[in-house]
Amino acid sequence: MEWQKGQVAMESRKDEHIRLFQKKDTANLENDFDSVRFVHQSLPELNLTDIDPSARLPFADWPQPFFINGMTGGSEKTKIYEQLSRAAAATGIAIASGSQKAAIKNPELRDTFQILRKVNPSGFIFANIGAELGKEEAVRAIDMLEADGLQIHLNAPQEIVMPEGDRDFSRWLNHIEQIVSAVKLPVVVKEVGFGMSRNVIHRLLQAGVGYIDVSGKGGTNFISIENMRRSGHEFGYLEGWGQSAVISLLEAQKYFGSATFFASGGVRNPLDALKALSLGAGAVGVSASFLRVVLDTGADGLIELIENWKKQLAGLMLMMGACNLEQLRHQDLVLSGFPYQWAKLRGISAEMLANRSLRPAAKLSLIR
Ligand SMILES: Cc1cc2nc3c(=O)[nH]c(=O)nc-3n(C[C@H](O)[C@H](O)[C@H](O)COP(=O)(O)O)c2cc1C
């Protein structure tokens, strides 16, 4: 009985997340992608037919370097998942499920997640659980979706601000280590919009993790969403918490040879995605910018948007004279504002980043 009550609470919380997500306009939020600039190239010397935007990942080649990142969809979930997944299938991009914890605890909810696979039988799908769960649950989540990979999310700030949230995070790394050694598919450890530091990245690599999505701040903000659920809104002061994807990728530079990094958090358009790819991300995850379109205009609206992103991405790569992602990673990037200050104080060479095209053979590490 207690368990069932918890279940109902979990489901209605997901509804509230969607409602509060819609209430919060993030369009004018400060976004660190605006503090990263490419250097304009007047002579691209390329033809559009030369452009290959594909993401060559160790476990798959994705035709596009961006994907629909994990989102839970409330009890309207079946509809939202169906639309997101239909868009993924129609456009050929990868998609991640939202947290499957509810369906792992209550098998009656399995079909609300399985719709992801049903409408997208041959697409790339990530299963998704939180780090509070162990390897048995990880395997169940993967089997539920016949998934091609697994995401494990880290959301400590969200849990702390959530009135009924978890308070025990003492076994997360242990769970991650066990899951990574038990699961043969790619396992991505991801944040949910608070970013990562080099210290966390180092510890994840030591635990055997090979794939990390730094998911930074600047877009969806779960401190703010959970704070809106509190009658006193007492955590308002914490809403700027965390690192952006830009800063997280700068923090990750030293580890590019040891793991594959994904970037997400605050990606608003194809130019933001290209900046993340140029900073070293293997592919870019998008949640808020796609969810808003699905909620407004359904799967067809999202399909149209994704097709536009594909065209624009190729056009921007052409404009910059980069025919593939590898070449994009040797483009000069000029930092300003907070990311510049951060890099300076953390011993990351912004000067090297701004002049790296002069050293095409140089590796990506920017740590002095
Ligand atoms: C409504 C909503 C629900 C989400 N639920 C999950 C989830 O269940 N599991 C997860 O790993 N991330 C979840 N996320 C986080 C996203 O995957 C992503 O890390 C974060 O939203 C930052 O990206 P964005 O700025 O593009 O939204 C959710 C995001 C949204 C908007």
Side-chain angles (χ1 to χ4, degrees):
M1 208 55 185
E2 212 29 60
W3 169 82
Q4 269 179 336
K5 261 200 306 201
Q7 199 64 44
V8 172
M10 200 187 314
E11 284 305 286
S12 65
R13 184 168 73 234
K14 304 297 176 196
D15 282 343
E16 253 188 299
H17 284 165
I18 295 286
R19 191 175 53 77
L20 295 171
F21 166 84
Q22 282 179 288
K23 230 172 119 176
K24 191 101 182 163
D25 184 10
T26 53
N28 297 320
L29 282 183
E30 191 184 319
N31 188 312
D32 279 349
F33 284 114
D34 294 333
S35 300
V36 180
R37 280 162 203 263
F38 285 104
V39 178
H40 171 59
Q41 308 295 325
S42 303
L43 285 170
E45 297 282 302
L46 286 172
N47 185 318
L48 190 59
T49 54
D50 299 329
I51 305 298
D52 170 15
S54 66
R56 299 187 185 284
L57 301 165
F59 53 85
D61 284 349
W62 288 350
Q64 292 297 324
F66 62 95
F67 62 99
I68 303 174
N69 216 350
M71 286 178 267
T72 39
S75 59
E76 279 279 289
K77 190 158 46 195
T78 313
K79 203 166 119 221
I80 294 173
Y81 275 157
E82 189 193 333
Q83 290 173 335
L84 289 171
S85 202
R86 204 150 68 72
T91 58
I93 70 171
I95 182 169
S97 170
S99 173
Q100 292 163 253
K101 184 175 181 176
I104 290 169
K105 303 279 174 209
N106 176 7
E108 280 174 26
L109 295 174
R110 285 165 62 104
D111 56 346
T112 64
F113 288 87
Q114 285 169 328
I115 189 84
L116 275 170
R117 179 52 86 197
K118 209 168 148 195
V119 299
N120 187 11
S122 52
F124 193 103
I125 298 181
F126 283 112
N128 185 302
I129 59 169
E132 75 280 11
L133 300 181
K135 64 179 177 199
E136 281 80 25
E137 288 95 343
V139 171
R140 262 188 273 162
I142 291 168
D143 290 347
M144 195 187 299
L145 300 180
E146 297 166 64
D148 306 283
L150 173 72
Q151 291 185 330
I152 306 176
H153 64 258
L154 310 177
N155 66 339
Q158 178 186 9
E159 296 291 340
I160 291 294
V161 177
M162 191 190 303
E164 71 281 28
D166 284 347
R167 297 292 180 261
D168 178 8
F169 310 129
S170 58
R171 289 179 51 76
W172 278 14
L173 199 54
N174 188 270
H175 289 157
I176 289 170
E177 202 164 3
Q178 287 180 12
I179 293 170
V180 167
S181 65
V183 169
K184 295 293 162 254
L185 299 173
V187 177
V188 181
V189 177
K190 74 181 284 286
E191 251 292 348
V192 298
F194 302 109
M196 287 195 196
S197 68
R198 59 188 173 215
N199 170 282
V200 166
I201 292 166
H202 182 77
R203 284 158 63 209
L204 289 174
L205 296 190
Q206 278 186 324
V209 174
Y211 302 97
I212 294 175
D213 178 351
V214 296
S215 204
K217 74 163 182 174
T220 302
N221 183 335
F222 271 108
I223 288 179
S224 161
I225 289 175
E226 294 299 347
N227 193 39
M228 285 192 272
R229 296 180 59 237
R230 300 180 79 96
S231 52
H233 307 307
E234 3 7 353
F235 279 96
Y237 63 88
L238 205 59
E239 291 188 7
W241 186 262
Q243 283 99 245
S244 63
V246 168
I247 285 177
S248 304
L249 287 170
L250 292 173
E251 291 273 311
Q253 300 282 329
K254 193 173 142 189
Y255 300 102
F256 281 163
S258 316
T260 298
F261 288 85
F262 297 94
S264 64
V267 175
R268 301 159 295 183
N269 53 49
L271 181 59
D272 289 346
L274 282 181
K275 288 175 180 176
L277 294 164
S278 186
L279 280 165
V284 173
V286 184
S287 295
S289 303
F290 289 169
L291 181 59
R292 280 187 206 288
V293 173
V294 153
L295 293 171
D296 284 353
T297 54
D300 290 343
L302 182 56
I303 292 168
E304 196 183 328
L305 181 77
I306 291 172
E307 291 302 335
N308 277 332
W309 276 46
K310 285 185 191 175
K311 283 190 211 124
Q312 290 177 25
L313 211 99
L316 295 178
M317 285 177 70
L318 171 75
M319 197 172 92
M320 287 178 237
C323 68
N324 56 38
L325 298 192
E326 186 51 32
Q327 290 189 359
L328 199 64
R329 290 185 192 118
H330 291 290
Q331 296 269 326
D332 295 334
L333 287 175
V334 180
L335 299 182
S336 61
F338 189 62
Y340 175 73
Q341 276 174 17
W342 183 286
K344 210 166 156 115
L345 293 171
R346 299 281 280 179
I348 299 160
S349 176
E351 288 76 13
M352 212 180 277
L353 187 63
N355 297 285
R356 62 185 175 170
S357 64
L358 297 174
R359 314 165 64 230
K363 262 296 170 236
L364 287 167
S365 177
L366 303 169
I367 303 289
R368 275 188 279 245

